[in-house]
């Protein structure tokens, strides 16, 4: 069932667990995540980056695919279709394409411009019943070819953006996209604590979930994180499982080259990873209560 992220995250924040946001790249990704969430009776957020949206043929194609799969697979858990790190234009495209949630990444603008653009998009999203995530403080790692260490958001700026009526807030606390480099100092729980105090009931979002030690993720959830984004980790296990299949020569046996066979180990690997994360975040069994 396609819904906005608002209710599921409010419930998660109140219930001290987090909803997994898993990025999708194709049919295998989408099916794996939906079926695993259904099996575990967990709400789930399907994240689509602008790049992945383009890769799949555009946001309309993605929206149609997700809606059709949701129906044909008999999915009854709450599913949000969410634009990840949207540009200003990307947000409008996804609103039009039937997404149920968007993220406006205004972290690279100065705070006044971030406020102005976020205000407008909050209005546009809420008018059509979508939820909206905003970002304060850049998240490190490689994004659009720019590599940086994780920044920390200013708690005052977080309060300012929260006051605009966004439904979830991504605030940098030293987290990074992609694989964490050697010597990464870890999440800044002191900053998270300050942000939490300044933003009250606002569900906080932790980007760059790949490679953050489980104990740190759990602690972040106790400090108000209600959505954790996972992308690279699913890509890594998919690639690893596919490589093993090919290296074992299985694509050369019988009809092993058939994509339904060739992509099956990767698909199963994504399911296992998503299951592991849902159990870590504690959203299993939370879909219907
Ligand atoms: Zn992110």
């Amino acid at each position: 069932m396609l819904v906005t992220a608002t209710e599921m995250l409010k419930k998660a924040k109140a219930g001290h667990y987090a909803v997994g946001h898993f990025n999708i790249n194709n049919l295998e990704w989408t099916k794996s995540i939906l079926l695993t969430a259904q099996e575990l009776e967990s709400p789930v957020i399907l994240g689509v980056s602008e790049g992945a949206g383009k890769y799949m043929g555009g946001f309309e194609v993605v929206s149609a695919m997700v809606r059709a799969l949701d129906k044909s697979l008999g999915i009854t858990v709450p599913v949000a279709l969410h634009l990840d790190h949207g540009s200003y234009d990307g947000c409008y495209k996804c609103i039009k394409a039937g997404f149920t949630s968007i993220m406006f990444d205004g972290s690279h603008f100065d705070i006044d411009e971030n406020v102005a653009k976020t205000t407008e998009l909050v209005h546009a999203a809420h008018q059509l019943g979508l939820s909206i995530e905003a970002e304060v403080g850049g998240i490190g790692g490689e994004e659009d070819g720019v590599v940086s260490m994780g920044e920390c958001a200013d708690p005052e700026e977080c309060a300012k953006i929260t006051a605009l009526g966004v439904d979830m807030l991504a605030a940098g606390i030293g987290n990074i996209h992609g694989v964490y480099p050697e010597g990464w100092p870890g999440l800044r729980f002191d900053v998270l604590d300050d942000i939490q105090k300044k933003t009250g009931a606002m569900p906080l979002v932790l980007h760059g979930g790949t490679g953050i030690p489980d104990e740190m993720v759990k602690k972040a959830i106790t400090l108000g994180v209600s959505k954790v984004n996972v992308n690279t980790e699913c890509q890594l296990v998919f690639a690893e499982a596919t490589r093993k299949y090919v290296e074992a020569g299985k694509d050369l046996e019988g009809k092993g080259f058939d994509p339904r066979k060739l992509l099956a180990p990767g698909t199963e690997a994504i399911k296992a990873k998503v299951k592991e994360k849902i159990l870590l975040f504690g959203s299993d069994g939370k879909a219907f209560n």
Side-chain angles (χ1 to χ4, degrees):
M1 190 181 54
L2 259 69
V3 296
T4 73
T6 310
E7 279 309 307
M8 62 171 87
L9 293 182
K10 269 189 196 162
K11 278 188 200 165
K13 177 112 185 182
H16 306 289
Y17 61 91
V19 178
H21 156 138
F22 301 98
N23 284 71
I24 59 172
N25 294 285
N26 62 15
L27 186 71
E28 276 71 27
W29 249 258
T30 313
K31 274 173 76 174
S32 303
I33 297 163
L34 287 175
L35 289 171
T36 307
Q38 183 68 31
E39 182 200 326
L40 296 174
E41 299 196 349
S42 170
V44 74
I45 297 170
L46 301 178
V48 183
S49 67
E50 300 218 4
K54 200 181 268 181
Y55 173 74
M56 288 184 270
F59 294 127
E60 283 84 5
V61 174
V62 176
S63 179
M65 175 183 73
V66 169
R67 285 170 186 279
L69 279 177
D70 186 69
K71 217 176 192 180
S72 68
L73 298 174
I75 304 298
T76 55
V77 299
V79 177
L81 176 59
H82 179 72
L83 170 65
D84 192 22
H85 290 284
S87 63
Y88 178 81
D89 291 340
C91 283
Y92 279 107
K93 279 185 192 156
C94 287
I95 289 172
K96 218 175 125 199
F99 277 46
T100 61
S101 188
I102 53 171
M103 171 184 183
F104 173 56
D105 184 347
S107 61
H108 47 283
F109 293 112
D110 66 46
I111 185 69
D112 292 334
E113 193 163 4
N114 193 354
V115 165
K117 288 198 160 72
T118 302
T119 303
E120 182 194 318
L121 286 164
V122 165
H123 184 71
H126 286 175
Q127 214 169 19
L128 291 165
L130 283 80
S131 49
I132 177 166
E133 173 179 347
E135 178 171 336
V136 181
I139 288 146
E142 189 175 347
E143 202 167 45
D144 301 328
V146 181
V147 182
S148 63
M149 286 302 274
E151 283 174 37
C152 283
D154 173 355
E156 295 297 340
E157 290 187 3
C158 291
K160 239 183 215 178
I161 298 284
T162 295
L164 304 177
V166 299
D167 303 289
M168 55 203 130
L169 182 71
I173 51 166
N175 41 325
I176 294 175
H177 288 110
V179 179
Y180 284 77
E182 196 92 20
W184 174 61
L187 294 178
R188 288 284 303 275
F189 293 113
D190 54 329
V191 176
L192 178 56
D193 199 34
D194 282 349
I195 294 169
Q196 158 67 24
K197 282 178 185 143
K198 296 254 186 248
T199 57
M202 175 62 54
L204 301 175
V205 181
L206 184 64
H207 281 245
T210 297
I212 298 177
D214 288 358
E215 288 315 308
M216 284 193 191
V217 172
K218 282 188 190 163
K219 189 167 176 189
I221 293 170
T222 66
L223 290 169
V225 165
S226 327
K227 172 173 173 275
V228 183
N229 291 18
V230 176
N231 184 15
T232 311
E233 232 165 323
C234 288
Q235 298 185 355
L236 289 172
V237 295
F238 182 85
E240 190 192 1
T242 308
R243 177 162 40 77
K244 272 190 188 153
Y245 180 88
V246 173
E247 280 179 355
K250 291 191 181 158
D251 58 317
L252 302 172
E253 292 169 13
K255 288 219 170 163
F257 55 83
D258 182 325
R260 287 179 303 225
K261 293 199 168 100
L262 179 67
L263 301 178
T267 302
E268 289 307 312
I270 293 176
K271 279 186 191 164
K273 182 54 75 180
V274 169
K275 185 170 184 173
E276 175 197 316
K277 294 296 174 187
I278 286 177
L279 295 175
L280 171 66
F281 302 157
S283 65
D284 52 306
K286 303 292 198 307
F288 308 115
N289 51 32

